[in-house]
Amino acid sequence: MKYGTMREDFVLQPVSGKALPVYRGETLRIIQEVGGQCVDFNCFNLYDYKEYMSVGHMRRQGIRVVKGDYVLSAPPRSNLMMWIAEMPETCITDLIGSRCSPDLFEATWGFDIHTNCQDTLAESIGEYGLSPDDTHDSFNMWMNTGWDDRGRWDIRRNTGLKGDYVDLTALMDVLAVPIVCGSGDVTGISNYSLRPLRIQVFEKSSETEAAAQEHLARFGNLKNQRSPKDYRIRGIKADRKLERDPDYEPQFVNYPLQFQEVEVELTPDDRRDVERMKARGKASDDEDAIRSGAFTWYTTFNSEPNPFSNKPIMGN
Amino acid sequence: MDNEPDVISIRLTQQQIEVLERLKGDGQLGSDYSEVLLNAFRKYSEHFLGKGRFGNVGRA
């Protein structure tokens, strides 16, 4: 895809970061200046910092997002923030490991002070008046983690090569925060060193604007992509202490939930299938068999692919 | 006893009923909730219980 003119080009020395606006249709490029460096990334709505990237919801696309996936904001906003326009196979991504923090290095290796992503993100966003509490789980690029069946993780060798780059095209105006991960000299995450990254921003082009429109037309017009005007409580709480509002009445969705009984008359074939499901451990009783079978078919074959639940739910 | 109808009552949430209502509107699986639910179950059986090997394909 053809981008517009480059309007930013600078190097992030180890260990530093930068918060910078990237406007809709523009592309942020993160380049391995030397190679082998893990990148942590945060992202905010440029006009409302309470809307920010949700790594947890990005994980629904897969725990390793790839070219073509999205940076998503947290519900109830659930907006497409950026699109991964380019990502080499050497960029292994991680959406589970979160960000390293100073307590980690103190508890694990006895450092009173060690470079870390929490502090680097906080110092970067401070330029826009945000506090350390506003950092959030990071989208990690060139972070080659492995996970076993018990959910335990290990760190594998960073596969990033000099000149590798990731392009993130903004689908809304964002404050993007790429940083050099600070853990790499005492962990293998950056092959036991800390290295610079180059950051570039390209202005929008007719192609990137058309692409943005296409993405937003597909996944940007849901009724349930809400904004503060839809909230019952719209203000941003200014004080830190939590106190109960005795007059507050929650309005839970579809509450109390209504139930309805539907009777079905089984043929001998149906009965055999119900018994087969129970025998295979797929249902606990007759009712469960019909309900689970019918809705497994429905969710498996009637689900639309989308970034909020990218893979159709497979039946069992 | 063998001739008694094999009837099961299924408890569904209002949201599941909404799904049945949509499927009923499509007209592919039947014209009432009972038909739609049972035919969706038969679709599941075809796909996930290996019905083809037992000669029951195309019944739903």
Side-chain angles (χ1 to χ4, degrees), chain A residues 253-273:
Chain A
V253 172
N254 288 345
Y255 184 85
L257 197 62
Q258 304 298 304
F259 290 85
Q260 183 173 333
E261 302 278 337
V262 175
E263 286 194 343
V264 296
E265 184 174 339
L266 305 187
T267 65
D269 275 353
D270 297 329
R271 166 53 62 189
R272 194 164 58 242
D273 290 341

Side-chain angles (χ1 to χ4, degrees), chain A residues 257-261, chain B residues 11-14 16-17:
Chain A
L257 197 62
Q258 304 298 304
F259 290 85
Q260 183 173 333
E261 302 278 337
Chain B
R11 191 170 192 246
L12 299 173
T13 69
Q14 66 191 80
Q16 290 171 320
I17 293 291

Side-chain angles (χ1 to χ4, degrees), chain A residues 219-239:
Chain A
F219 302 122
N221 295 305
L222 298 172
K223 289 189 282 291
N224 283 299
Q225 289 170 316
R226 299 177 195 157
S227 67
K229 67 179 169 45
D230 303 311
Y231 300 172
R232 291 174 63 207
I233 298 173
R234 297 177 186 173
I236 296 174
K237 190 168 149 42
D239 52 342

Side-chain angles (χ1 to χ4, degrees), chain A residues 14-26:
Chain A
V15 170
S16 64
K18 178 71 176 171
L20 67 166
V22 183
Y23 300 97
R24 175 176 145 161
E26 291 193 330

Side-chain angles (χ1 to χ4, degrees), chain A residues 192-205:
Chain A
Y192 296 99
S193 190
L194 297 167
R195 302 172 174 92
L197 300 169
R198 180 171 290 273
I199 303 298
Q200 296 173 339
V201 177
F202 297 88
E203 291 178 346
K204 73 177 180 182
S205 67

Side-chain angles (χ1 to χ4, degrees), chain A residues 206-220:
Chain A
S206 56
E207 285 186 42
T208 58
E209 178 56 26
Q213 284 180 17
E214 186 181 326
H215 291 291
L216 293 167
R218 288 181 69 198
F219 302 122

Side-chain angles (χ1 to χ4, degrees), chain B residues 3 5-8 10 16-17 20 26 29-30 32 38 40-41 43 46 49 55-56:
Chain B
N3 293 329
D6 189 354
V7 176
I8 301 173
I10 318 294
Q16 290 171 320
I17 293 291
L20 296 189
D26 290 345
L29 295 183
D32 60 39
L38 195 51
F41 171 74
K43 292 277 190 190
E46 283 177 21
L49 297 182
N56 294 326

